[in-house]
Structure formats: C-alpha cells, structure tokens
Amino acid sequence: NTVMTQSPTSMFTSVGDRVTMSCKASQNVGINVGWYQQKTGQSPKRLIYWASNRDTGVPDRFTGSGSGTDFTLTISNMQAEDPAIYYCLQHNSYPYTFGAGTKLELK
Amino acid sequence: QVQLKESGPGLVQPSQTLSLTCTVSGFSLTSYSVHWVRQHSGKSLEWMGRMWSDGDTSYNSAFTSRLSISRDTSKSQVFLKMNSLQTEDTGTYYCVGGMGPFAYWGQGTLVTVSS
C-alpha cells in the first residue's frame, strides 16, 4: 500500500502567517493527490485536486504543489477561519490512502 | 448542485450486517464514481471502495470479503453492505463522489457497533 506521511502532525500559527505542510508518498503517485480541509464537526472539503488545481471557491491563499512523492500545501496568509485538520489523499493506486493529517491551530 | 446524503442505522450489534444508502443529486451515477470512506472518531480517513460509473466495483482488500457496494441508478442510490461487524467498525461513514476525484462529500453517518 502507498503510505502518505504528513508533517508536521500539528502546528500553531498566527493570523497573517505563511503556513506550509508536507505530504510524502512511499511510492510515485504522479499528480494523483488531493488536499482536504476538515473543520470540527464537518465532513472533509476538497481544496486542491490533481496536486495543484484549486477548487472553485477556494481562496487563492491556498496553493498545492508537487508531483511524484513530495507534495506541499501552502496557506499564504493564514486567516481566522483556516484552523482545521488538513489531509492529503493519493488516488493513484489501490487502496487509495489518506495521510494522518496536519492539525492547524491558532496561537 | 451536487449533493450526497448517507442514511442508515446508527446502531448495529456486533456480528451483524451494516447497510447504508447514499442518495445523490446533481450528477448521474452512470457518469461518475461514488466512493465510501470511513473515519474512526478523532482519526484519519480510510477508503473502503468505489462504485464505478459503468457499474463495476473496487474494494480495499483490508475489508476482504466483508464489503459489498451496489447501486440503483433509477433512484440515484449507492449501497454499502458490510457483514461481521465488530466494535472497531464504529465510526462515521461518508459517501464521496461527483465530478472529479473525491470532489463532494456527504455529511456522513455515525455508526456505532455495540450490543
């Protein structure tokens, strides 16, 4: 199975900060990666698909990048509504697998 | 707009069978896949399987032969059946689908396995 390793596990940030989180795949997954935001009590919401394509309505402060085994989600200007758990997902090979998540909190 | 909604029993007894329904709107099951994903409380997400647009299915081998996914296109519904439930199957079950990979998620349905 392809293991998706996310780091850091959690982080504290401030409004206005630039935030970068990583997702590393245990094997090449091409660009078959998405990023999901899950706020407390809600279902996950897709932010990024095909590694770097932003979903409609997602603020442009969210940027996805990478290919192969290394992927990054960047929030350029942290906002008060951004605290959540962020998950990456690979849908290149079965079984599709998610990372364990990065929990983003405000200081 | 695209919507997916899960329904089913909130409580299932150990060793029994779980049956969930996902009702979709805003897209056709014959055009796009629907996946089932579960989440243990406070934990990450686990892909269970998918119903392809052509009616074929793919499963996570972690569920061996316990899992079955089917559909009724006339009702825009996808079904999940999983037998031999254990307490570790407790969690929130999501159906996911629509245009593009894992684009839209249902609200999820909490399933508790307990006697």
Side-chain angles (χ1 to χ4, degrees), chain A residues 1 36 38 42-46 49-50 55 87 89-91 94-101, chain B residues 35 37 39 43-47 50 52 58 60-61 94 99-103 105-108:
Chain A
N1 295 357
Y36 297 80
Q38 187 175 32
Q42 297 184 16
S43 53
K45 171 190 172 185
R46 194 179 71 176
Y49 61 97
W50 303 123
D55 268 280
Y87 296 98
L89 158 71
Q90 71 81 18
H91 52 90
Y94 293 134
Y96 299 154
T97 46
F98 292 84
Chain B
H35 304 260
V37 174
Q39 185 171 36
K43 303 288 187 182
S44 186
L45 301 148
E46 183 176 29
W47 178 77
R50 83 190 280 180
W52 289 83
S58 298
N60 187 335
S61 59
Y94 296 99
M99 297 71 88
F102 293 83
W105 294 61
Q107 64 191 18

Side-chain angles (χ1 to χ4, degrees), chain B residues 9-87:
Chain B
L11 180 66
V12 180
Q13 294 200 338
S15 79
Q16 296 302 301
T17 296
L18 172 66
S19 294
L20 298 177
T21 299
C22 173
T23 303
V24 312
S25 59
F27 70 97
S28 171
L29 294 180
T30 59
S31 296
Y32 298 98
S33 292
V34 170
H35 304 260
W36 286 96
V37 174
R38 83 174 174 187
Q39 185 171 36
H40 294 117
S41 179
K43 303 288 187 182
S44 186
L45 301 148
E46 183 176 29
W47 178 77
M48 300 180 72
R50 83 190 280 180
M51 169 61 72
W52 289 83
S53 58
D54 64 1
D56 198 3
T57 51
S58 298
Y59 298 107
N60 187 335
S61 59
F63 297 94
T64 58
S65 58
R66 292 202 296 149
L67 180 63
S68 174
I69 299 174
S70 60
R71 71 180 184 179
D72 183 339
T73 56
S74 68
K75 295 182 178 179
S76 294
Q77 292 180 326
V78 178
F79 309 104
L80 175 149
K81 282 202 169 150
M82 189 162 68
N83 56 33
S84 305
L85 252 61
Q86 301 301 319
T87 54

Side-chain angles (χ1 to χ4, degrees), chain A:
Chain A
N1 295 357
T2 302
V3 177
M4 303 295 281
T5 302
Q6 289 189 245
S7 61
T9 302
S10 65
M11 58 193 305
F12 286 88
T13 64
S14 300
V15 171
D17 279 356
R18 179 182 179 88
V19 175
T20 299
M21 60 189 76
S22 168
C23 182
K24 292 186 184 295
S26 61
Q27 55 190 288
N28 190 335
V29 296
I31 59 168
N32 297 295
V33 167
W35 287 93
Y36 297 80
Q37 176 193 64
Q38 187 175 32
K39 297 182 178 180
T40 303
Q42 297 184 16
S43 53
K45 171 190 172 185
R46 194 179 71 176
L47 302 176
I48 302 289
Y49 61 97
W50 303 123
S52 61
N53 293 272
R54 192 180 302 113
D55 268 280
T56 302
V58 173
D60 61 7
R61 63 179 180 273
F62 291 91
T63 302
S65 63
S67 66
T69 59
D70 292 324
F71 301 87
T72 300
L73 177 68
T74 300
I75 307 174
S76 61
N77 178 15
M78 179 75 179
Q79 296 298 301
E81 62 266 30
D82 297 338
I85 300 176
Y86 292 83
Y87 296 98
C88 59
L89 158 71
Q90 71 81 18
H91 52 90
N92 180 70
S93 60
Y94 293 134
Y96 299 154
T97 46
F98 292 84
T102 291
K103 187 174 184 179
L104 189 57
E105 298 176 276
L106 282 174
K107 290 178 185 172

